[in-house]
Amino acid sequence: MSKDTSGTTRGRSGIKAVAELAGVGIASVSRVLSGQRGSSPQLTKRVLDAARQLGYAPNALAQGLRRRTTRSIGFVGSDITNPLIASIVSGAESVLSLAGFSVLLTNSGGIPSVDAERIEVLLQRQVDGLIVLPALEDDPGTLAALRNTQTPIVLIDRTLPADIRAQYVLSDHYRGVGDASRYLLAAGHRHIGLVVGRDVRPTRERVRAVEDAYDGSGIARDLLVHRGTLSPEHGEEALEEMLSGAVPPSAVILGGNQLLEGALRVVHRRGLQLGKDLSLVCCDDVPLGRFHQPPIATVMRDSALLGKRAAELLLAQPETPGTNEPVYLPTWFEPRASCGPRATDTSDTRRKRTARKVSVTQG
Amino acid sequence: MSKDTSGTTRGRSGIKAVAELAGVGIASVSRVLSGQRGSSPQLTKRVLDAARQLGYAPNALAQGLRRRTTRSIGFVGSDITNPLIASIVSGAESVLSLAGFSVLLTNSGGIPSVDAERIEVLLQRQVDGLIVLPALEDDPGTLAALRNTQTPIVLIDRTLPADIRAQYVLSDHYRGVGDASRYLLAAGHRHIGLVVGRDVRPTRERVRAVEDAYDGSGIARDLLVHRGTLSPEHGEEALEEMLSGAVPPSAVILGGNQLLEGALRVVHRRGLQLGKDLSLVCCDDVPLGRFHQPPIATVMRDSALLGKRAAELLLAQPETPGTNEPVYLPTWFEPRASCGPRATDTSDTRRKRTARKVSVTQG
DNA sequence: TTGAAAGCGTTACCAT
DNA sequence: ATGGTAACGCTTTCAA
């Protein structure tokens, strides 16, 4: 059982054991190991040797308790399974781990009360910072949890009431969706469908972008907005409902990549040909989106960059207390074959050219 | 600045403050708040009130230091951006957070030395358990890091030397890939290409599965194995190379979902029609795989379940010390239109029916 | 039932 | 340059 051939007897040894083995004081061990200068070469060597021999590694809990900093940050998102979120986490983690920070990951499943609870758990764990993508921007519980701390907070793609002390990393959804809308309008589409999620910043920006695109083109607003959750199921339901309506849109913008799968189910079931029978734009890339037949036009963004910037904001915090300007990150429209000119088919006569404005359907 | 309208002055208050405000001893506060019975109703009420009034939340660091358990587990994987890994993490997180555990997430980028380093960091942070998907099964550093601890460890889809004290959650790749192979052989394919990653358990099982499928069907082994990393780039390179070879396979199995994107680039570039010019099988689902034209035949598995089982093993650890049987989880082949019968085209005459056995190309 | 005090493994102050 | 010691915030004997 106990073959101690190796001279290295690793195990649960504390700083005390190192001090004893090295024949020095506990404080000296601490000093040497935390890389502070002010120790003689001999002492340093003795300590280092002893530490190595014991396989000593400091207890981060004790360090954190004493130093009042844990070099860890918490991430609160809805669902790591969403490639967009995964990418954000990945971007943040790469920056943070390089700086010696660890990431505490939490999924809330998009449930506001869980958001709040997880934020509280992470704060109890004394994280040095929080990156949050809350499900809602006005959930009392979530806001209370965020208000209840001095810990630096970075929000991604959300804007919270001004009394919340936080920094923001925001995507310029307005631009990408605006470009997509103008592209569609230029292609002759006059009735655009927009599927969005809950009332958070990206949703508002996207709606505004399409509306402004209509206005800017001097075309009467004829926008069909469908609100729900950003799930494949909602994507399916929303598109089905839109296409079954009295005046189906000839082009649809999906405000979230998770919607695409559901939407494609409808497209395939109905045997629609994208870019011809229906033009489709998706917000945020989906792995095989560009290999779909036809490729799916997409409002792109560098999602890993969102996470990186958020992490950088957190890391810079101590030095830069004042800079509260939100960080804006670009989006851009990549037209692909899923978008085509509006079919000038006979059924067009069916359309009532009433002065419909913006109609909203709850999903 | 300091509007103290609310009676609740939340903040950094410790257990001491609660004790003072309640006019009781520190120990009593601890007892009440950790839900131990043995306190009078009056005491309990006083404590609870004081705690609420101060917005007190215990410091998990101090608790962990004292209790010698942190209710946190570490996850070490290559890349959360891979939907497979994301799904595993998500499965684990759902089980763990329900049990009050937090997850420390780490990405190693598939670099063995980083695996080792991250394991060590997590151990320093005193995690109560580790879920690991190391890049290699025999990296000395990684093995040393794992050996150097009493902390419970669960490995996913990897088998390590017997001297490593760990539990295993393994997918039955043999079955799924075997079924896929038999399907292809039955469809007339005689020369199958297999793209795999590094020499880890899934790779070995997949190779073995195809070989055994040949043998079991009484067909001479004519397998072309391409080894590399499981990246889109390698997928592209591998397929390109295989198809450019003297005797290109008529069917290819991709041993990893990340390969598909690259492979599809080749397919589209060459204008190949899947299921006709080339049959393609992918291991592990890719979001839009079934919506590709034609849909991609896939060796499926419940990847979230891998994470869940791993988490459950960790949570059960204290009670079940002995049970060291690996947990086996199924995979299954879902044939889709990307697989078709072997084309009996003229170029068939070109094939030299030499007694080639298993040829291996390094990627 | 309650509370004082020791101790978890560090760090940082303050002498020496 | 070095080491003793008091905290850090909590849990857990142990006495009362």
Side-chain angles (χ1 to χ4, degrees):
Chain A
M1 263 304 175
S2 49
K3 275 234 235 165
D4 244 336
T5 328
S6 85
T8 327
T9 322
R10 302 211 156 221
R12 264 336 64 212
S13 49
I15 198 174
K16 213 165 175 174
V18 179
E20 264 167 33
L21 179 58
V24 303
I26 255 181
S28 299
V29 177
S30 174
R31 229 180 292 116
V32 169
L33 261 33
S34 17
Q36 305 176 39
R37 32 167 271 110
S39 304
S40 69
Q42 306 92 295
L43 211 210
T44 304
K45 188 184 181 327
R46 295 174 62 90
V47 169
L48 256 26
D49 283 352
R52 193 168 314 121
Q53 197 172 329
L54 292 174
Y56 169 76
N59 181 322
L61 252 39
Q63 288 185 318
L65 186 58
R66 193 48 242 238
R67 292 179 168 160
R68 326 193 117 281
T69 163
T70 56
R71 299 187 81 76
S72 69
I73 79 102
F75 186 102
V76 183
S78 58
D79 178 15
I80 188 74
T81 266
N82 179 339
L84 176 71
I85 310 254
S87 187
I88 294 175
V89 172
S90 167
E93 202 268 347
S94 67
V95 168
L96 290 168
S97 63
L98 227 66
F101 280 66
S102 291
V103 175
L104 280 151
L105 177 74
T106 261
N107 288 178
S108 72
I111 303 167
S113 62
V114 179
D115 273 340
E117 179 230 309
R118 297 303 165 77
I119 290 169
E120 254 144 17
V121 168
L122 293 175
L123 289 175
Q124 275 185 243
R125 289 189 183 274
Q126 315 298 121
V127 293
D128 293 339
L130 232 31
I131 299 178
V132 195
L133 273 110
L136 259 35
E137 291 177 336
D138 55 3
D139 177 68
T142 305
L143 294 182
L146 291 177
R147 242 187 298 261
N148 182 21
T149 179
Q150 300 296 327
T151 307
I153 295 167
V154 175
L155 283 135
I156 296 188
D157 248 5
R158 299 285 184 275
T159 48
L160 264 36
D163 69 308
I164 304 271
R165 194 192 314 89
Q167 293 187 273
Y168 295 89
V169 178
L170 306 173
S171 284
D172 181 11
H173 301 282
Y174 185 82
R175 177 60 188 276
V177 174
D179 284 349
S181 306
R182 281 181 286 277
Y183 183 92
L184 291 172
L185 292 172
H189 297 279
R190 288 299 173 264
H191 186 36
I192 298 179
L194 177 63
V195 187
V196 293
R198 299 199 251 207
D199 178 35
V200 287
R201 200 189 106 98
T203 291
R204 291 191 300 272
E205 293 295 287
R206 285 167 181 149
V207 172
R208 195 165 65 83
V210 186
E211 289 177 351
D212 287 2
Y214 270 104
D215 297 354
S217 311
I219 299 171
R221 281 194 200 176
D222 192 5
L223 173 60
L224 181 62
V225 178
H226 201 289
R227 292 175 191 276
T229 54
L230 292 182
S231 63
E233 292 68 37
H234 176 225
E236 178 165 6
E237 180 191 312
L239 187 56
E240 185 61 57
E241 210 165 287
M242 281 180 167
L243 296 183
S244 306
V247 189
S250 61
V252 171
I253 300 176
L254 302 172
N257 54 1
Q258 303 288 74
L259 299 167
L260 182 58
E261 187 186 323
L264 287 183
R265 279 203 283 266
V266 176
V267 168
H268 287 211
R269 188 193 308 138
R270 291 185 169 233
L272 296 179
Q273 198 176 329
L274 288 182
K276 190 159 166 287
D277 308 321
L278 174 72
S279 286
L280 195 65
V281 173
C282 184
C283 291
D284 292 326
D285 206 21
V286 174
L288 290 192
R290 52 155 57 78
F291 289 108
H292 186 269
Q293 219 56 277
I296 308 294
T298 306
V299 175
M300 306 283 288
R301 55 173 156 166
D302 183 342
S303 42
L305 193 56
L306 286 168
K308 282 187 193 163
R309 283 279 179 277
E312 286 163 1
L313 246 30
L314 249 22
L315 293 178
Q317 202 85 12
E319 292 104 77
T320 344
T323 331
N324 253 346
E325 291 297 295
V327 174
Y328 288 101
L329 261 26
T331 70
W332 60 94
F333 176 56
E334 277 194 21
R336 293 182 195 140
S338 70
C339 288
R342 185 181 61 154
T344 48
D345 62 346
T346 49
S347 73
D348 196 39
T349 59
R350 194 186 74 198
R351 294 187 45 134
K352 328 175 204 110
R353 302 300 294 134
T354 349
R356 222 174 319 99
K357 291 298 235 184
V358 179
S359 37
V360 173
T361 315
Q362 279 294 345
Chain B
M1 262 303 176
S2 49
K3 274 234 238 167
D4 243 334
T5 328
S6 86
T8 327
T9 322
R10 303 213 153 219
R12 266 332 70 214
S13 50
I15 198 174
K16 211 166 178 174
V18 179
E20 263 167 34
L21 178 58
V24 303
I26 256 181
S28 299
V29 177
S30 173
R31 232 181 288 116
V32 169
L33 261 34
S34 11
Q36 304 177 42
R37 31 168 271 109
S39 305
S40 67
Q42 307 92 296
L43 211 208
T44 304
K45 186 183 182 326
R46 295 174 61 91
V47 169
L48 256 27
D49 283 351
R52 193 168 314 121
Q53 198 172 327
L54 293 175
Y56 170 74
N59 181 323
L61 252 39
Q63 287 184 318
L65 188 58
R66 190 52 239 245
R67 292 179 168 160
R68 327 192 115 284
T69 164
T70 55
R71 298 187 83 74
S72 69
I73 79 102
F75 186 102
V76 183
S78 58
D79 178 15
I80 188 73
T81 266
N82 180 339
L84 176 72
I85 310 253
S87 185
I88 293 175
V89 173
S90 167
E93 202 268 349
S94 67
V95 168
L96 290 168
S97 64
L98 228 67
F101 280 66
S102 292
V103 174
L104 279 152
L105 177 75
T106 261
N107 288 177
S108 72
I111 303 165
S113 63
V114 180
D115 273 340
E117 179 230 308
R118 297 303 163 78
I119 290 169
E120 255 144 17
V121 168
L122 293 175
L123 289 174
Q124 274 185 240
R125 289 189 184 273
Q126 314 298 122
V127 293
D128 293 340
L130 232 30
I131 300 179
V132 195
L133 272 110
L136 257 35
E137 291 177 335
D138 55 2
D139 177 68
T142 306
L143 294 181
L146 291 177
R147 242 187 299 260
N148 182 22
T149 179
Q150 301 295 327
T151 307
I153 295 167
V154 176
L155 283 135
I156 295 188
D157 248 4
R158 298 287 184 274
T159 49
L160 263 35
D163 70 307
I164 304 270
R165 193 194 315 90
Q167 293 187 274
Y168 295 89
V169 177
L170 305 173
S171 285
D172 181 12
H173 300 283
Y174 185 81
R175 176 61 186 276
V177 173
D179 285 349
S181 306
R182 281 181 287 277
Y183 183 92
L184 291 172
L185 292 172
H189 297 279
R190 288 300 173 265
H191 186 35
I192 298 179
L194 177 63
V195 187
V196 293
R198 299 198 252 209
D199 179 35
V200 288
R201 201 189 105 97
T203 291
R204 290 191 300 272
E205 293 294 289
R206 284 167 182 151
V207 173
R208 196 166 63 84
V210 185
E211 290 177 349
D212 287 2
Y214 271 105
D215 296 354
S217 312
I219 298 171
R221 281 194 199 175
D222 193 3
L223 172 60
L224 180 61
V225 178
H226 202 288
R227 293 176 191 275
T229 55
L230 293 181
S231 63
E233 293 67 38
H234 176 225
E236 177 166 8
E237 180 189 311
L239 187 57
E240 184 60 57
E241 209 164 288
M242 281 180 168
L243 295 182
S244 306
V247 188
S250 62
V252 171
I253 301 176
L254 301 173
N257 54 2
Q258 302 288 74
L259 298 167
L260 182 58
E261 187 186 323
L264 287 182
R265 279 203 283 265
V266 176
V267 169
H268 287 211
R269 188 193 308 137
R270 291 185 169 232
L272 296 178
Q273 198 176 329
L274 288 182
K276 190 159 166 287
D277 308 320
L278 174 72
S279 286
L280 195 64
V281 174
C282 185
C283 291
D284 292 326
D285 206 20
V286 174
L288 290 192
R290 51 156 55 80
F291 289 108
H292 187 267
Q293 219 57 277
I296 308 293
T298 305
V299 176
M300 307 281 290
R301 56 172 155 165
D302 183 342
S303 43
L305 193 57
L306 286 168
K308 283 188 192 160
R309 284 277 179 278
E312 285 163 2
L313 245 31
L314 249 21
L315 293 177
Q317 201 86 11
E319 291 104 76
T320 342
T323 333
N324 253 347
E325 292 297 297
V327 174
Y328 287 101
L329 261 26
T331 70
W332 60 95
F333 176 55
E334 277 193 21
R336 294 184 196 139
S338 69
C339 288
R342 185 182 61 155
T344 49
D345 63 347
T346 49
S347 72
D348 198 39
T349 59
R350 194 188 73 200
R351 294 187 46 132
K352 327 174 207 117
R353 302 298 298 132
T354 349
R356 221 174 320 97
K357 291 297 238 184
V358 179
S359 37
V360 174
T361 314
Q362 278 295 345

PDB file of all heavy atoms in Angstrom, chain A residues 118-140:
ATOM      1  N   ARG A 118     -28.771  32.833  -8.096  1.00  0.00           N
ATOM      2  CA  ARG A 118     -27.396  32.492  -8.462  1.00  0.00           C
ATOM      3  C   ARG A 118     -26.441  33.653  -8.220  1.00  0.00           C
ATOM      4  O   ARG A 118     -25.282  33.478  -7.842  1.00  0.00           O
ATOM      5  CB  ARG A 118     -27.327  32.058  -9.926  1.00  0.00           C
ATOM      6  CG  ARG A 118     -28.124  30.814 -10.211  1.00  0.00           C
ATOM      7  CD  ARG A 118     -27.680  29.658  -9.339  1.00  0.00           C
ATOM      8  NE  ARG A 118     -28.646  28.579  -9.352  1.00  0.00           N
ATOM      9  CZ  ARG A 118     -28.791  27.715 -10.337  1.00  0.00           C
ATOM     10  NH1 ARG A 118     -28.026  27.798 -11.395  1.00  0.00           N
ATOM     11  NH2 ARG A 118     -29.708  26.770 -10.281  1.00  0.00           N
ATOM     12  N   ILE A 119     -26.916  34.840  -8.467  1.00  0.00           N
ATOM     13  CA  ILE A 119     -26.080  36.012  -8.203  1.00  0.00           C
ATOM     14  C   ILE A 119     -25.729  36.039  -6.719  1.00  0.00           C
ATOM     15  O   ILE A 119     -24.583  36.270  -6.336  1.00  0.00           O
ATOM     16  CB  ILE A 119     -26.827  37.307  -8.597  1.00  0.00           C
ATOM     17  CG1 ILE A 119     -26.940  37.391 -10.117  1.00  0.00           C
ATOM     18  CG2 ILE A 119     -26.112  38.532  -8.044  1.00  0.00           C
ATOM     19  CD1 ILE A 119     -27.878  38.473 -10.608  1.00  0.00           C
ATOM     20  N   GLU A 120     -26.725  35.751  -5.906  1.00  0.00           N
ATOM     21  CA  GLU A 120     -26.476  35.770  -4.463  1.00  0.00           C
ATOM     22  C   GLU A 120     -25.478  34.687  -4.039  1.00  0.00           C
ATOM     23  O   GLU A 120     -24.599  34.925  -3.216  1.00  0.00           O
ATOM     24  CB  GLU A 120     -27.803  35.639  -3.701  1.00  0.00           C
ATOM     25  CG  GLU A 120     -28.216  36.959  -3.099  1.00  0.00           C
ATOM     26  CD  GLU A 120     -29.713  37.219  -3.112  1.00  0.00           C
ATOM     27  OE1 GLU A 120     -30.495  36.264  -3.301  1.00  0.00           O
ATOM     28  OE2 GLU A 120     -30.090  38.385  -2.925  1.00  0.00           O
ATOM     29  N   VAL A 121     -25.631  33.518  -4.609  1.00  0.00           N
ATOM     30  CA  VAL A 121     -24.689  32.441  -4.288  1.00  0.00           C
ATOM     31  C   VAL A 121     -23.266  32.849  -4.650  1.00  0.00           C
ATOM     32  O   VAL A 121     -22.328  32.670  -3.866  1.00  0.00           O
ATOM     33  CB  VAL A 121     -25.062  31.150  -5.043  1.00  0.00           C
ATOM     34  CG1 VAL A 121     -23.937  30.139  -4.955  1.00  0.00           C
ATOM     35  CG2 VAL A 121     -26.356  30.567  -4.498  1.00  0.00           C
ATOM     36  N   LEU A 122     -23.117  33.418  -5.825  1.00  0.00           N
ATOM     37  CA  LEU A 122     -21.778  33.799  -6.265  1.00  0.00           C
ATOM     38  C   LEU A 122     -21.195  34.896  -5.376  1.00  0.00           C
ATOM     39  O   LEU A 122     -19.994  34.898  -5.084  1.00  0.00           O
ATOM     40  CB  LEU A 122     -21.821  34.255  -7.724  1.00  0.00           C
ATOM     41  CG  LEU A 122     -22.169  33.128  -8.715  1.00  0.00           C
ATOM     42  CD1 LEU A 122     -22.309  33.670 -10.124  1.00  0.00           C
ATOM     43  CD2 LEU A 122     -21.115  32.043  -8.670  1.00  0.00           C
ATOM     44  N   LEU A 123     -22.033  35.803  -4.950  1.00  0.00           N
ATOM     45  CA  LEU A 123     -21.550  36.851  -4.055  1.00  0.00           C
ATOM     46  C   LEU A 123     -21.119  36.260  -2.720  1.00  0.00           C
ATOM     47  O   LEU A 123     -20.113  36.675  -2.152  1.00  0.00           O
ATOM     48  CB  LEU A 123     -22.641  37.912  -3.861  1.00  0.00           C
ATOM     49  CG  LEU A 123     -22.901  38.778  -5.094  1.00  0.00           C
ATOM     50  CD1 LEU A 123     -24.078  39.710  -4.861  1.00  0.00           C
ATOM     51  CD2 LEU A 123     -21.651  39.566  -5.470  1.00  0.00           C
ATOM     52  N   GLN A 124     -21.873  35.312  -2.242  1.00  0.00           N
ATOM     53  CA  GLN A 124     -21.475  34.642  -0.993  1.00  0.00           C
ATOM     54  C   GLN A 124     -20.108  33.981  -1.150  1.00  0.00           C
ATOM     55  O   GLN A 124     -19.332  33.894  -0.214  1.00  0.00           O
ATOM     56  CB  GLN A 124     -22.481  33.546  -0.649  1.00  0.00           C
ATOM     57  CG  GLN A 124     -23.671  34.043   0.105  1.00  0.00           C
ATOM     58  CD  GLN A 124     -24.567  32.888   0.518  1.00  0.00           C
ATOM     59  OE1 GLN A 124     -25.705  32.813   0.092  1.00  0.00           O
ATOM     60  NE2 GLN A 124     -24.053  31.981   1.323  1.00  0.00           N
ATOM     61  N   ARG A 125     -19.874  33.518  -2.347  1.00  0.00           N
ATOM     62  CA  ARG A 125     -18.588  32.875  -2.613  1.00  0.00           C
ATOM     63  C   ARG A 125     -17.484  33.908  -2.815  1.00  0.00           C
ATOM     64  O   ARG A 125     -16.355  33.567  -3.162  1.00  0.00           O
ATOM     65  CB  ARG A 125     -18.684  31.952  -3.825  1.00  0.00           C
ATOM     66  CG  ARG A 125     -19.510  30.707  -3.540  1.00  0.00           C
ATOM     67  CD  ARG A 125     -19.426  29.686  -4.655  1.00  0.00           C
ATOM     68  NE  ARG A 125     -20.271  28.539  -4.406  1.00  0.00           N
ATOM     69  CZ  ARG A 125     -19.910  27.480  -3.692  1.00  0.00           C
ATOM     70  NH1 ARG A 125     -18.707  27.417  -3.181  1.00  0.00           N
ATOM     71  NH2 ARG A 125     -20.749  26.484  -3.498  1.00  0.00           N
ATOM     72  N   GLN A 126     -17.833  35.147  -2.634  1.00  0.00           N
ATOM     73  CA  GLN A 126     -16.854  36.233  -2.631  1.00  0.00           C
ATOM     74  C   GLN A 126     -16.137  36.418  -3.961  1.00  0.00           C
ATOM     75  O   GLN A 126     -14.947  36.720  -3.984  1.00  0.00           O
ATOM     76  CB  GLN A 126     -15.814  35.992  -1.531  1.00  0.00           C
ATOM     77  CG  GLN A 126     -16.352  35.578  -0.196  1.00  0.00           C
ATOM     78  CD  GLN A 126     -17.247  36.632   0.429  1.00  0.00           C
ATOM     79  OE1 GLN A 126     -18.396  36.376   0.719  1.00  0.00           O
ATOM     80  NE2 GLN A 126     -16.731  37.824   0.606  1.00  0.00           N
ATOM     81  N   VAL A 127     -16.863  36.234  -5.047  1.00  0.00           N
ATOM     82  CA  VAL A 127     -16.237  36.490  -6.340  1.00  0.00           C
ATOM     83  C   VAL A 127     -15.805  37.950  -6.416  1.00  0.00           C
ATOM     84  O   VAL A 127     -16.405  38.815  -5.778  1.00  0.00           O
ATOM     85  CB  VAL A 127     -17.209  36.196  -7.509  1.00  0.00           C
ATOM     86  CG1 VAL A 127     -17.510  34.711  -7.585  1.00  0.00           C
ATOM     87  CG2 VAL A 127     -18.483  37.011  -7.380  1.00  0.00           C
ATOM     88  N   ASP A 128     -14.772  38.201  -7.189  1.00  0.00           N
ATOM     89  CA  ASP A 128     -14.257  39.563  -7.319  1.00  0.00           C
ATOM     90  C   ASP A 128     -15.009  40.359  -8.373  1.00  0.00           C
ATOM     91  O   ASP A 128     -14.756  41.541  -8.577  1.00  0.00           O
ATOM     92  CB  ASP A 128     -12.772  39.537  -7.688  1.00  0.00           C
ATOM     93  CG  ASP A 128     -11.921  38.983  -6.560  1.00  0.00           C
ATOM     94  OD1 ASP A 128     -12.391  38.999  -5.414  1.00  0.00           O
ATOM     95  OD2 ASP A 128     -10.797  38.537  -6.835  1.00  0.00           O
ATOM     96  N   GLY A 129     -15.887  39.680  -9.081  1.00  0.00           N
ATOM     97  CA  GLY A 129     -16.636  40.368 -10.120  1.00  0.00           C
ATOM     98  C   GLY A 129     -17.683  39.444 -10.699  1.00  0.00           C
ATOM     99  O   GLY A 129     -17.636  38.221 -10.504  1.00  0.00           O
ATOM    100  N   LEU A 130     -18.623  40.050 -11.415  1.00  0.00           N
ATOM    101  CA  LEU A 130     -19.757  39.300 -11.925  1.00  0.00           C
ATOM    102  C   LEU A 130     -20.007  39.709 -13.374  1.00  0.00           C
ATOM    103  O   LEU A 130     -20.050  40.897 -13.686  1.00  0.00           O
ATOM    104  CB  LEU A 130     -20.979  39.656 -11.077  1.00  0.00           C
ATOM    105  CG  LEU A 130     -21.865  38.610 -10.429  1.00  0.00           C
ATOM    106  CD1 LEU A 130     -21.115  37.361 -10.042  1.00  0.00           C
ATOM    107  CD2 LEU A 130     -22.576  39.216  -9.246  1.00  0.00           C
ATOM    108  N   ILE A 131     -20.149  38.716 -14.233  1.00  0.00           N
ATOM    109  CA  ILE A 131     -20.601  38.991 -15.593  1.00  0.00           C
ATOM    110  C   ILE A 131     -22.005  38.418 -15.702  1.00  0.00           C
ATOM    111  O   ILE A 131     -22.212  37.237 -15.463  1.00  0.00           O
ATOM    112  CB  ILE A 131     -19.682  38.336 -16.642  1.00  0.00           C
ATOM    113  CG1 ILE A 131     -18.267  38.888 -16.503  1.00  0.00           C
ATOM    114  CG2 ILE A 131     -20.221  38.569 -18.046  1.00  0.00           C
ATOM    115  CD1 ILE A 131     -17.270  38.267 -17.466  1.00  0.00           C
ATOM    116  N   VAL A 132     -22.942  39.277 -16.031  1.00  0.00           N
ATOM    117  CA  VAL A 132     -24.335  38.838 -15.971  1.00  0.00           C
ATOM    118  C   VAL A 132     -25.099  39.124 -17.256  1.00  0.00           C
ATOM    119  O   VAL A 132     -24.969  40.185 -17.853  1.00  0.00           O
ATOM    120  CB  VAL A 132     -25.079  39.533 -14.808  1.00  0.00           C
ATOM    121  CG1 VAL A 132     -26.387  38.830 -14.517  1.00  0.00           C
ATOM    122  CG2 VAL A 132     -24.218  39.572 -13.559  1.00  0.00           C
ATOM    123  N   LEU A 133     -25.868  38.152 -17.653  1.00  0.00           N
ATOM    124  CA  LEU A 133     -26.807  38.291 -18.759  1.00  0.00           C
ATOM    125  C   LEU A 133     -28.179  37.923 -18.231  1.00  0.00           C
ATOM    126  O   LEU A 133     -28.691  36.836 -18.508  1.00  0.00           O
ATOM    127  CB  LEU A 133     -26.464  37.296 -19.865  1.00  0.00           C
ATOM    128  CG  LEU A 133     -25.465  37.634 -20.936  1.00  0.00           C
ATOM    129  CD1 LEU A 133     -24.198  36.815 -20.749  1.00  0.00           C
ATOM    130  CD2 LEU A 133     -26.101  37.314 -22.274  1.00  0.00           C
ATOM    131  N   PRO A 134     -28.790  38.790 -17.474  1.00  0.00           N
ATOM    132  CA  PRO A 134     -30.047  38.410 -16.825  1.00  0.00           C
ATOM    133  C   PRO A 134     -31.161  38.214 -17.860  1.00  0.00           C
ATOM    134  O   PRO A 134     -31.130  38.799 -18.939  1.00  0.00           O
ATOM    135  CB  PRO A 134     -30.348  39.608 -15.927  1.00  0.00           C
ATOM    136  CG  PRO A 134     -29.641  40.742 -16.554  1.00  0.00           C
ATOM    137  CD  PRO A 134     -28.439  40.190 -17.247  1.00  0.00           C
ATOM    138  N   ALA A 135     -32.118  37.403 -17.482  1.00  0.00           N
ATOM    139  CA  ALA A 135     -33.231  37.127 -18.389  1.00  0.00           C
ATOM    140  C   ALA A 135     -34.077  38.376 -18.608  1.00  0.00           C
ATOM    141  O   ALA A 135     -34.549  38.645 -19.706  1.00  0.00           O
ATOM    142  CB  ALA A 135     -34.083  35.994 -17.831  1.00  0.00           C
ATOM    143  N   LEU A 136     -34.227  39.125 -17.525  1.00  0.00           N
ATOM    144  CA  LEU A 136     -35.053  40.334 -17.576  1.00  0.00           C
ATOM    145  C   LEU A 136     -34.249  41.540 -17.102  1.00  0.00           C
ATOM    146  O   LEU A 136     -33.310  41.404 -16.348  1.00  0.00           O
ATOM    147  CB  LEU A 136     -36.273  40.162 -16.650  1.00  0.00           C
ATOM    148  CG  LEU A 136     -37.610  39.810 -17.282  1.00  0.00           C
ATOM    149  CD1 LEU A 136     -37.470  38.902 -18.491  1.00  0.00           C
ATOM    150  CD2 LEU A 136     -38.510  39.153 -16.243  1.00  0.00           C
ATOM    151  N   GLU A 137     -34.689  42.711 -17.544  1.00  0.00           N
ATOM    152  CA  GLU A 137     -33.988  43.922 -17.117  1.00  0.00           C
ATOM    153  C   GLU A 137     -34.662  44.590 -15.933  1.00  0.00           C
ATOM    154  O   GLU A 137     -34.137  45.547 -15.380  1.00  0.00           O
ATOM    155  CB  GLU A 137     -33.899  44.905 -18.293  1.00  0.00           C
ATOM    156  CG  GLU A 137     -32.976  44.409 -19.386  1.00  0.00           C
ATOM    157  CD  GLU A 137     -32.938  45.351 -20.583  1.00  0.00           C
ATOM    158  OE1 GLU A 137     -33.912  46.107 -20.781  1.00  0.00           O
ATOM    159  OE2 GLU A 137     -31.941  45.311 -21.313  1.00  0.00           O
ATOM    160  N   ASP A 138     -35.808  44.100 -15.579  1.00  0.00           N
ATOM    161  CA  ASP A 138     -36.536  44.782 -14.508  1.00  0.00           C
ATOM    162  C   ASP A 138     -37.087  43.820 -13.466  1.00  0.00           C
ATOM    163  O   ASP A 138     -38.049  44.125 -12.772  1.00  0.00           O
ATOM    164  CB  ASP A 138     -37.679  45.611 -15.108  1.00  0.00           C
ATOM    165  CG  ASP A 138     -38.586  44.740 -15.973  1.00  0.00           C
ATOM    166  OD1 ASP A 138     -38.350  43.507 -16.038  1.00  0.00           O
ATOM    167  OD2 ASP A 138     -39.526  45.279 -16.578  1.00  0.00           O
ATOM    168  N   ASP A 139     -36.474  42.672 -13.354  1.00  0.00           N
ATOM    169  CA  ASP A 139     -36.931  41.743 -12.321  1.00  0.00           C
ATOM    170  C   ASP A 139     -36.488  42.255 -10.944  1.00  0.00           C
ATOM    171  O   ASP A 139     -35.293  42.450 -10.708  1.00  0.00           O
ATOM    172  CB  ASP A 139     -36.348  40.351 -12.561  1.00  0.00           C
ATOM    173  CG  ASP A 139     -36.736  39.381 -11.466  1.00  0.00           C
ATOM    174  OD1 ASP A 139     -37.928  39.056 -11.391  1.00  0.00           O
ATOM    175  OD2 ASP A 139     -35.857  38.974 -10.683  1.00  0.00           O
ATOM    176  N   PRO A 140     -37.422  42.475 -10.060  1.00  0.00           N
ATOM    177  CA  PRO A 140     -37.106  43.055  -8.755  1.00  0.00           C
ATOM    178  C   PRO A 140     -36.063  42.229  -8.001  1.00  0.00           C
ATOM    179  O   PRO A 140     -35.136  42.788  -7.414  1.00  0.00           O
ATOM    180  CB  PRO A 140     -38.450  43.029  -8.021  1.00  0.00           C
ATOM    181  CG  PRO A 140     -39.480  42.968  -9.090  1.00  0.00           C
ATOM    182  CD  PRO A 140     -38.860  42.198 -10.217  1.00  0.00           C
TER     183      PRO A 140
END
